[in-house]
Amino acid sequence: MEKTLSVTAINNGTVIDHIPAGQAITILRLLKLVDHKNQVTIGLNLSGNRGFKDLIKMENRYLTDREMHEIAIFAPNATINTIKDFKVIKKHKALLPESVIDIMRCPNPRCVTQNEPLKTCFDLYKHNEIIKLRCKYCEKTFLREEVKEYVA
């Protein structure tokens, strides 16, 4: 059986691979890629070695260390590849940050961030492959999946 590419290669930029199926749209919003002026290719529900995955390719867009850490919140096993002249020159694993500011909204309806113009802030930790977030304001802890709203 001949192997073919489902998504075309990029000359220069970044490829985020091994995104859990369904999370690419969240990462697009996180990185504000809708406003990106160069080509962005999104692969949703692509067949991979470990089931289905999403993929994002960004022409002429490189990620900061902070952006790479933030991606780990939604794709803890993502691989981030830097591409130059159609070749991978660097491979990074997404690493979970210790905290995030103004990315997610606290789901606690009684949290002060619901009614005050404050930047949300969560401490993050991973236990047995489960990501948990603790709001610095209300001090409640949530599973990452419980946080449904994101700051645009």
Side-chain angles (χ1 to χ4, degrees), residues 86-115:
F86 294 103
K87 293 183 180 143
V88 175
I89 62 161
K90 281 188 190 170
K91 263 188 185 269
H92 303 274
K93 287 298 282 176
L95 300 173
L96 195 66
E98 290 181 15
S99 64
V100 291
I101 297 171
D102 213 26
I103 292 178
M104 309 165 128
R105 299 207 189 282
C106 183
N108 177 7
R110 293 188 178 167
C111 183
V112 66
T113 60
Q114 295 288 344
N115 298 310

Side-chain angles (χ1 to χ4, degrees), residues 2-152:
E2 188 177 321
K3 187 174 182 178
T4 61
L5 292 175
S6 298
V7 183
T8 58
I10 60 172
N11 186 18
N12 296 298
T14 305
V15 176
I16 307 169
D17 198 2
H18 306 291
I19 301 169
Q23 291 298 316
I25 301 300
T26 300
I27 293 171
L28 284 172
R29 288 177 40 204
L30 175 73
L31 298 175
K32 297 178 179 26
L33 291 176
V34 174
D35 300 327
H36 186 55
K37 301 301 179 207
N38 292 304
Q39 177 178 321
V40 176
T41 304
I42 308 156
L44 302 174
N45 296 314
L46 301 172
S47 181
N49 295 340
R50 295 175 244 150
F52 292 96
K53 66 179 183 174
D54 290 351
L55 174 91
I56 300 172
K57 291 187 175 191
M58 303 168 284
E59 188 76 40
N60 297 318
R61 170 77 155 78
Y62 301 95
L63 300 179
T64 65
D65 287 342
R66 179 181 172 163
E67 289 172 323
M68 285 191 255
H69 294 311
E70 291 171 351
I71 287 169
I73 301 165
F74 307 100
N77 297 314
T79 303
I80 301 162
N81 300 312
T82 303
I83 311 295
K84 295 267 186 182
D85 297 321
F86 294 103
K87 293 183 180 143
V88 175
I89 62 161
K90 281 188 190 170
K91 263 188 185 269
H92 303 274
K93 287 298 282 176
L95 300 173
L96 195 66
E98 290 181 15
S99 64
V100 291
I101 297 171
D102 213 26
I103 292 178
M104 309 165 128
R105 299 207 189 282
C106 183
N108 177 7
R110 293 188 178 167
C111 183
V112 66
T113 60
Q114 295 288 344
N115 298 310
E116 299 291 329
L118 299 169
K119 290 185 177 186
T120 61
C121 186
F122 292 92
D123 289 325
L124 287 86
Y125 58 95
K126 192 173 180 180
H127 180 69
N128 294 331
E129 298 302 311
I130 297 171
I131 297 172
K132 295 186 178 182
L133 299 93
R134 184 172 186 265
C135 177
K136 283 197 174 184
Y137 293 99
C138 70
E139 300 182 345
K140 295 210 178 285
T141 300
F142 306 93
L143 296 174
R144 209 267 315 140
E145 292 77 18
E146 292 179 295
V147 181
K148 302 287 186 201
E149 287 188 59
Y150 307 102
V151 176

